[in-house]
């Protein structure tokens, strides 16, 4: 029996192991998942666009692996997410503007990757954020004015990037 056949499962907690290989594509069909924690492993490959199927997810932790590629724009389908942790991987490309669809997010951690481009202005939609970490990437441009919308933020970490201009 494969894990992808567990269609009623709501929680998968496999963090802190030595799991390797790619995230199984069948995992993205488990639409009842509320919590998916695969952090602190040795997972490789990319985050499939199929992740957009997991519309009930509230907690997604893929940090501290060896994931590559870009964050798919379909991440914006996960409108119930409260905690998204993708830090300390080898992810590249720009942070998709669709991240701004995740208005229930309280924690967003994408530090320690190779993201480039500007911080999307849509980040200002995430008014429930208390923790925002985009540190140690290759982000450039100015800090968007919309960061001022994050009135609940306790921590904003943009350190170790190539940002310029004035602090808004």
């Amino acid at each position: 029996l494969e894990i992808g056949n567990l269609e009623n499962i709501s929680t998968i907690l496999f963090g802190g192991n030595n799991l390797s290989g790619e995230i199984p594509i069948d995992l993205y069909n488990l639409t009842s998942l509320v919590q998916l924690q695969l952090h602190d492993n040795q997972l490789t490959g990319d985050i499939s666009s199929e992740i957009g199927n997991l519309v009930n997810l509230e907690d997604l932790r893929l940090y501290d692996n060896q994931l590559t590629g870009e964050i798919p724009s379909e991440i914006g389908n996960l409108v119930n997410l409260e905690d998204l942790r993708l830090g300390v991987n080898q992810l590249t490309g720009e942070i998709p503007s669709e991240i701004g669809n995740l208005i229930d997010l309280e924690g967003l951690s994408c530090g320690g990757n190779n993201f480039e481009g500007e911080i999307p202005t849509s980040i200002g939609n995430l008014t429930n954020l208390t923790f925002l970490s985009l540190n140690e990437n290759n982000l450039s441009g100015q800090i968007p004015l919309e960061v001022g919308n994050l009135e609940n933020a306790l921590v904003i970490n943009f350190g170790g990037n190539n940002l310029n201009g004035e602090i808004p």
Side-chain angles (χ1 to χ4, degrees), residues 46-163:
D46 61 6
I47 301 170
S48 170
S49 61
E50 302 290 319
I51 198 158
N53 297 338
L54 303 179
V55 295
N56 291 306
L57 267 185
E58 295 175 6
D59 183 0
L60 177 59
R61 300 181 193 195
L62 301 177
Y63 66 89
D64 202 6
N65 278 291
Q66 297 163 21
L67 299 174
T68 55
E70 299 184 6
I71 299 175
S73 60
E74 289 81 0
I75 199 91
N77 296 351
L78 309 183
V79 295
N80 293 305
L81 267 184
E82 296 173 4
D83 196 358
L84 175 59
R85 300 186 197 186
L86 302 176
V88 193
N89 278 291
Q90 298 162 24
L91 298 171
T92 57
E94 295 185 2
I95 296 171
S97 62
E98 290 83 359
I99 207 109
N101 297 350
L102 310 180
I103 59 172
D104 287 343
L105 268 186
E106 296 172 10
L108 173 59
S109 176
C110 291
N113 281 291
N114 296 306
F115 293 120
E116 53 191 23
E118 297 185 357
I119 297 169
T121 58
S122 64
I123 210 108
N125 298 343
L126 308 179
T127 56
N128 289 313
L129 277 182
T130 58
F131 182 85
L132 172 60
S133 178
L134 302 177
N135 63 305
E136 304 299 327
N137 280 291
N138 296 310
L139 297 171
S140 59
Q142 297 187 350
I143 298 172
L145 294 173
E146 290 79 1
V147 167
N149 297 341
L150 307 180
E151 294 179 359
N152 292 307
L154 301 174
V155 174
I156 297 177
N157 185 352
F158 293 157
N161 281 291
N162 297 309
L163 300 173

